[in-house]
Amino acid sequence: MTPTPRASRLVALLAVPSLLFSLAACGSDDGGDDASDTPSSGPVATVSGKPGEEPELTIDTDASVGDEISGEVLDQGDGAEIGEGDYLRLDAVAKTVSDGRELVNTWADPNEGAQGSTAPALPDGLRRQVIAQAGVDSVLLAAVTDPMVGATVGSRVQVQGPAADLLGQGAQNVGLSGDEGVVWVFDIVGASAVDPGAAAEGEQAAATDGLPEVTAGEDGAPAVTVPEGEDPPAELQQQILIEGDGPEVEAGQALVVQYTGVTWADGEKFDSSWDRDAPSAFQIGTGQVVQGWDEGLVGKHVGDRVLLVIPPDLGYGDQGNQTIPGGSTLVFVVDIVGAA
């Protein structure tokens, strides 16, 4: 999993806490009752507004989504065509059909957040958006993003179906029956096609004295050696080891990375995207990852390999997490392989 300080970081974009985490963790579990056998009667919501602006949904509560998922491109954008597996940055609204209950709204005031959220305030102009893959189970189930494959960046897409199929186990977690109708409206803000084996390419600089050494490891993954007998730095340390020639990373973008992380104390690896044979994706600069990543990766470039040494106050703090002891200084080697 990409380093996140706590679940509430992503929950902040939700009207209902933990919905998207439920989707990512539980895949396509049924989440409750069987979906209705009633065939879909067509779109159950009328959507007004222009792409890029918060949509207004008028829901026909007498209509039924039936037992099949359907999707429609409401407005075609003029950007690149989206392929299966592309990493997407999305604005989204999701509502229930029976009572218009709002499940997700990325246009909501990001500094209000969901009930119980401790996510940090965002600068003006930024909001927490959804990062998912087109046609692949990720934060959103593949069934939700399938209709986006073949659409273009800038498009507005409406998707409807039973909660069991669109939300998986998340339906139960937010108190919905499996046959409750759900309507999503997405604006495709950005997309990036990234090879699963992508890595930074080019001549690698030696690490600065006192920082961990980075060498080639198995299958092209970097190996990290922490200097023996050295106390960890008290401040964030960052160094570009390989310079890429891609665009500069801006706060709010979807970032696609390969990474390896070790603890300074023992040099032991605790996580690596290389071990999963697939990059990780997240929104940068909005509190979806540890603060050391937000501070250390904004302003870098696609194609860079970045060495980050992150003190506890910019990582997992004194509490740590399930695999990292509290008070740990973290070392990451991050290859920025895509942005959207």
Side-chain angles (χ1 to χ4, degrees), residues 24-242:
C26 302
S28 57
D29 292 347
D30 286 342
D33 302 337
D34 291 336
S36 169
D37 291 332
T38 305
S40 174
S41 57
V44 297
T46 301
V47 182
S48 57
K50 298 179 180 179
E53 301 174 353
E54 182 176 354
E56 182 177 340
L57 279 66
T58 303
I59 296 176
D60 180 359
T61 56
D62 293 328
S64 170
V65 297
D67 60 356
E68 294 183 357
I69 296 168
S70 62
E72 177 184 3
V73 178
L74 303 178
D75 292 281
Q76 190 74 257
D78 57 6
E81 183 174 326
I82 293 163
E84 183 175 345
D86 286 1
Y87 293 86
L88 307 176
R89 178 160 59 100
L90 305 166
D91 273 311
V93 171
K95 291 187 175 183
T96 57
V97 172
S98 64
D99 58 5
R101 174 182 170 190
E102 189 172 90
L103 302 176
V104 176
N105 186 348
T106 61
W107 278 274
D109 185 345
N111 294 325
E112 289 182 4
Q115 183 178 3
S117 170
T118 57
L122 296 185
D124 290 343
L126 284 182
R127 59 178 177 267
R128 295 180 176 91
Q129 296 168 312
V130 180
I131 311 303
Q133 281 185 270
V136 175
D137 283 343
S138 55
V139 169
L140 298 173
L141 299 179
V144 181
T145 55
D146 273 339
M148 302 181 203
V149 176
T152 51
V153 174
S155 295
R156 171 164 285 181
V157 181
Q158 180 176 339
V159 182
Q160 66 182 44
D165 295 333
L166 292 184
L167 306 183
Q169 187 64 41
Q172 278 188 321
N173 292 351
V174 296
L176 299 181
S177 65
D179 59 0
E180 168 68 71
V182 173
V183 180
W184 290 87
V185 176
F186 295 98
D187 280 2
I188 305 174
V189 181
S192 180
V194 176
D195 188 304
E201 298 180 353
E203 184 176 353
Q204 179 170 295
T208 301
D209 288 346
L211 295 184
E213 180 184 7
V214 179
T215 57
E218 296 180 2
D219 301 326
V224 182
T225 304
V226 177
E228 291 187 15
E230 292 277 355
D231 291 331
E235 305 293 333
L236 174 68
Q237 303 295 311
Q238 48 186 300
Q239 181 184 353
I240 298 173
L241 300 177
I242 297 176

Side-chain angles (χ1 to χ4, degrees), residues 267-290:
E268 291 296 319
K269 180 173 64 176
F270 59 83
D271 194 13
S272 177
S273 66
W274 300 95
D275 293 344
R276 296 187 292 275
D277 297 321
S280 292
F282 52 90
Q283 191 178 21
I284 192 67
T286 61
Q288 285 193 14
V289 290
V290 293

